[in-house]
Amino acid sequence: MKQNFAIIGLGRFGGSICQTLIESGQEVLAIDSNEDRVNEYMNIATHAVVANAQDESTLRSLGIRNFDHVVVAIGEDIQASILVTLMVKEMGVPNVLAKAVNEYHARVLDKIGADLVVHPERDMGIRVAHKMISRNILDYIELSNEVSIAEVRVSNPKFYGKTLGQLNFRQRFGLTVVAIRRSKSDVITSPAAEEMVRENDSLLVVGETADVDILDEKMN
Ligand code: ADP
């Protein structure tokens, strides 16, 4: 289903969100107070406008309240980021994603009602660290303080040719396999207990972060 998105702030973060959404066929209104930034996105976004998002009447005239998703990707100007997030939420936008530049900023954005707060440098640092700790962890996302999702390469031949049921995966590792990646284009989602693990597979698992962290060790 096509949804509409507004992105406020076209720095590296907001800009790459804009680009990706457009490539996925979504409609994007791109907003920045800097004219040069807006010019860069003129031919990329569905619409691009120069506007100061801190001005409530400007947000209203852009029809912000009618968007399904608004991304507040204002960088260093924390005050502007907080004010804009607050106004957008008060206007009734259902999904507001806000970028935080530090922990305090993240806590405030969360308190004033942002639906999702991302802290790109910290989040990427966490992902990279987990990937370095375990050579078989291909990707890693923290869903909350306690829960993570990870893609883990199956490198132990003992697993090959066995079904998830035979491996007793959930009981043994405390994690749920939500998908098996067989190749770049072949992904089995919600695999049944009868699904067999093969050489070169990787498993997408979800569960407690502590269990995710020791999975690779326990599988080898
Ligand atoms: P990044 O780390 O993602 O590159 P930047 O700080 O470079 O972040 O980018 C933030 C963008 O947000 C800048 O292009 C800036 O012009 C824009 N911005 C800052 N304040 C406002 C505002 N009040 N209204 C609209 N855009 C703003």
Side-chain angles (χ1 to χ4, degrees), residues 36 73 102 108 121 123 164 166 170 175 195-196 200 202:
D36 293 338
N102 61 46
V108 174
E121 281 88 1
D123 297 347
L164 293 174
Q166 285 167 341
R170 191 174 296 147
L175 298 164
E195 199 62 58
M196 195 176 276
N200 299 321
S202 58

Side-chain angles (χ1 to χ4, degrees), residues 7-16 31-35 37-38 49-55 59 73-77 80-81 84 99 101 120-121:
I7 299 181
I8 302 171
L10 301 170
R12 290 158 302 175
F13 183 68
S16 65
I31 303 165
D32 202 296
S33 49
N34 178 321
E35 195 174 347
R37 288 268 163 94
V38 173
V49 293
V50 181
N52 178 2
Q54 285 193 80
D55 180 16
L59 287 183
I74 294 174
E76 296 303 321
D77 189 347
S81 151
V84 172
K99 169 187 152 163
V101 294
E121 281 88 1

Side-chain angles (χ1 to χ4, degrees), residues 5 14 27 34 38 49 51 58 61 66 71 73 82 103 126 150 183-184 188 212-213:
F5 296 80
E27 296 205 350
N34 178 321
V38 173
V49 293
T58 303
S61 65
N66 300 318
V71 176
I82 291 169
E103 285 301 325
I126 292 171
S183 66
K184 227 178 164 60
I188 302 150
V212 172
D213 279 343

Side-chain angles (χ1 to χ4, degrees), residues 21-142:
L21 289 170
I22 289 290
E23 283 164 11
S24 307
Q26 306 293 335
E27 296 205 350
V28 181
L29 168 65
I31 303 165
D32 202 296
S33 49
N34 178 321
E35 195 174 347
D36 293 338
R37 288 268 163 94
V38 173
N39 284 336
E40 272 179 56
Y41 285 88
M42 216 50 135
N43 297 320
I44 298 171
T46 319
H47 301 284
V49 293
V50 181
N52 178 2
Q54 285 193 80
D55 180 16
E56 192 160 3
S57 60
T58 303
L59 287 183
R60 287 195 190 283
S61 65
L62 289 170
I64 285 294
R65 67 186 179 86
N66 300 318
F67 281 80
D68 303 309
H69 298 265
V70 172
V71 176
V72 182
I74 294 174
E76 296 303 321
D77 189 347
I78 294 179
Q79 189 177 320
S81 151
I82 291 169
L83 180 62
V84 172
T85 303
L86 186 64
M87 289 192 295
V88 169
K89 234 14 241 182
E90 278 178 355
M91 286 173 187
V93 174
N95 305 294
V96 178
L97 180 150
K99 169 187 152 163
V101 294
N102 61 46
E103 285 301 325
Y104 300 111
H105 188 193
R107 277 166 64 183
V108 174
L109 291 170
D110 187 54
K111 280 270 184 293
I112 62 173
D115 299 281
L116 184 64
V117 177
V118 290
H119 187 166
E121 281 88 1
R122 185 204 55 189
D123 297 347
M124 188 47 88
I126 292 171
R127 281 171 82 168
V128 169
H130 282 284
K131 279 171 89 164
M132 286 194 299
I133 291 168
S134 161
R135 68 197 157 86
N136 287 313
I137 291 191
L138 305 175
D139 207 354
Y140 184 99
I141 300 168
E142 243 180 15

